[in-house]
Amino acid sequence: MKKLGVILFLIASIYACKDVVNEIPDTPFSTTPYVFTYDKALLPPPRIPADNPITAEGVFLGRMLFYDPILSADSSQSCGSCHNQSKGFTDNGKEFSMGITGAIGKRNSMPIFNLMWHLDGFFWDGRSDVLRHQAITPITDPTEMNETVGNVLAKLNNSPLYKAHFKKAFNAQELSEELLGKALEQFMMSIISGNSKFDRVALGLDKFTAQEKVGQIIFNSEAITIDNEIDPKNPQNYGADCFHCHGNSLFMRREFLNNGLPSNDDLGQGGVTGNPKDDCKFKTPSLRNIEKTGPYMHDGRFKTLEEVVQFYLGPMKDNCNSLANSPNMHALKDSVYLSPSQKAALVSFLKTLTDDELLTKEEYSNPFK
Ligand code: HEC
Ligand code: HEC
């Protein structure tokens, strides 16, 4: 009886083992493709790097990393500290950001959305060419998170929570610098702004006010400078020439340009390329959510959109000999005239680019809250 019992037990164990073996897989590693929900009639098709397919698991890991202060040396600052969702992912109205040591940077924090369509480099001066490489630089920047990549990887690789997430997203036992960059890249690529009043009007779901409509025309019309006045009695004809550089549905131009700001010692792209023709050229930013992302320009020199508009009406000087390369810049000619109500209309149009979905969407928010 005893023997039979042992034999039965053995047979049962063999079957049990078989079951376990069958369960353990062969199931191949699989992820859930990330689905973009924006309206394809408005924004271009997704542009995803072939070697970093965007997945729900990768985006979620990237989101955790983006909001986790573990990336900074003293665990006090996350990417989200200087890129606040409710401010279009900029730094809370600050001219310059402060890093963990109290050091102040020399540029204004940049908004984060629609980055998968930025083809010509990241940062105001374009010094980083690929988003996943860009994503590592704030970690080691002494004026930002002031940490080493080695320490960050050690901290993450010691965390059971993160270990489970790298496994899910990349089938990896360990997070490497490459995968850290790729996860942050996936989360940042998932952040889309495409549901502002402007977008709803374009889709026929909403209507501009009369003032916003006038503003849109001014935004999209060539400037007629006072020099070559065509019809001063018909101010309808005046435009502010914004569309040359901030046109199309992304409201940006994929180029580094000089927009005529009086220069200080920041050479912008010229400081990176060493080519004097690039001096005073900066990334041409998107105007989506511009109402929320002030202060404005690479050094945050303008507090309000009214000041920005006044600046663009000129007159401007070419401080760096690169203004002539800017598309259709009226600046070298003379001032552009807009009446006070036209200026107000232009600003009211700019405010239709605010996208409340971007500013509040749960999937872009801090997952630890
Ligand atoms: C201390 C504040 C601070 C922290 C922390 C910070 N950033 Fe930034 N970020 C900035 C500033 C300032 C700029 C513009 C710097 C420049 O152009 O020189 C910037 C620029 C960027 C850009 C460029 C956007 C574009 O359109 O070119 C991206 C992307 C970005 N940050 C992502 C991140 C990520 C990811 C992290 C976390 C790993 C992070 N940032 C942490 C302040 C910060
Ligand atoms: C020649 C191209 C060009 C034209 C024309 C142009 N811009 Fe710009 N714009 C730029 C560039 C380049 C920057 C970034 C400059 C910098 O920070 O040094 C910029 C920055 C801005 C900013 C600040 C964005 C931010 O994130 O800080 C606003 C707002 C803006 N432009 C609005 C306008 C408006 C309104 C018009 C029309 C009156 C206009 N622009 C015309 C190229 C242009």
Side-chain angles (χ1 to χ4, degrees), residues 349-364:
F349 171 67
L350 294 175
K351 291 184 177 168
T352 69
L353 303 177
T354 303
D355 176 355
D356 288 323
E357 184 180 330
L358 172 92
L359 306 172
T360 57
K361 194 173 177 159
E362 166 98 40
E363 292 94 279
Y364 304 154

Side-chain angles (χ1 to χ4, degrees), residues 293-337:
T293 64
Y296 303 107
M297 307 297 169
H298 67 272
D299 54 6
R301 69 178 71 188
F302 299 127
K303 299 256 166 318
T304 65
L305 288 173
E306 285 75 10
E307 282 173 65
V308 170
V309 166
Q310 195 56 47
F311 152 73
Y312 273 113
L313 299 182
M316 292 173 187
K317 290 201 188 95
D318 191 354
N319 292 292
C320 300
N321 300 315
S322 57
L323 198 55
N325 306 332
S326 293
N328 222 35
M329 198 68 182
H330 62 79
L332 291 172
K333 299 177 195 158
D334 206 340
S335 309
V336 172
Y337 177 77

Side-chain angles (χ1 to χ4, degrees), residues 185-317:
E185 180 173 76
Q186 287 195 37
F187 172 59
M188 291 195 283
M189 286 190 309
S190 77
I191 304 175
I192 300 293
S193 177
N195 190 11
S196 62
K197 179 168 186 185
F198 168 84
D199 300 303
R200 290 189 300 276
V201 171
L203 293 170
L205 304 171
D206 202 344
K207 278 204 165 89
F208 280 142
T209 64
Q211 190 191 36
E212 289 162 355
K213 219 179 224 163
V214 171
Q216 186 184 32
I217 294 169
I218 293 170
F219 185 92
N220 284 317
S221 306
E222 297 276 350
I224 297 165
T225 62
I226 291 167
D227 248 5
N228 61 358
E229 257 174 273
I230 291 183
D231 184 5
K233 292 205 184 87
N234 183 5
Q236 294 285 331
N237 282 345
Y238 288 100
D241 234 339
C242 313
F243 70 105
H244 284 292
C245 301
H246 302 286
N248 71 51
S249 64
L250 296 172
F251 288 88
M252 67 178 194
R253 189 169 170 124
R254 294 159 177 165
E255 246 181 290
F256 289 75
L257 294 168
N258 177 355
N259 69 341
L261 288 176
S263 63
N264 43 31
D265 53 3
D266 191 339
L267 290 179
Q269 195 187 32
V272 175
T273 62
N275 183 345
K277 283 196 183 137
D278 296 332
D279 286 354
C280 300
K281 289 188 182 172
F282 290 88
K283 184 162 179 168
T284 309
S286 171
L287 299 188
R288 283 181 172 274
N289 305 296
I290 198 73
E291 179 186 8
K292 302 289 179 185
T293 64
Y296 303 107
M297 307 297 169
H298 67 272
D299 54 6
R301 69 178 71 188
F302 299 127
K303 299 256 166 318
T304 65
L305 288 173
E306 285 75 10
E307 282 173 65
V308 170
V309 166
Q310 195 56 47
F311 152 73
Y312 273 113
L313 299 182
M316 292 173 187
K317 290 201 188 95

Side-chain angles (χ1 to χ4, degrees), residues 79 82-83 97 107 109 122-124 127 134-135 138 188 283:
C79 309
C82 302
H83 296 287
S97 300
R107 300 238 177 89
S109 173
F122 296 95
F123 290 124
W124 282 109
R127 67 186 179 281
Q134 183 289 329
M188 291 195 283
K283 184 162 179 168

Side-chain angles (χ1 to χ4, degrees), residues 126-189:
R127 67 186 179 281
S128 188
D129 56 348
V130 182
L131 191 51
R132 80 189 63 150
H133 299 156
Q134 183 289 329
I136 304 295
T137 51
I139 298 174
T140 56
D141 188 325
T143 68
E144 298 188 1
M145 302 163 109
N146 196 31
E147 179 56 300
T148 66
V149 173
N151 282 349
V152 167
L153 294 177
K155 288 187 271 185
L156 294 170
N157 283 321
N158 272 331
S159 149
L161 175 70
Y162 275 107
K163 271 195 125 81
H165 282 279
F166 333 138
K167 182 99 178 81
K168 274 200 211 159
F170 297 113
N171 200 20
Q173 299 299 340
E174 294 253 302
L175 196 68
S176 58
E177 177 170 350
E178 170 82 0
L179 294 180
L180 173 62
K182 281 184 167 175
L184 285 165
E185 180 173 76
Q186 287 195 37
F187 172 59
M188 291 195 283
M189 286 190 309

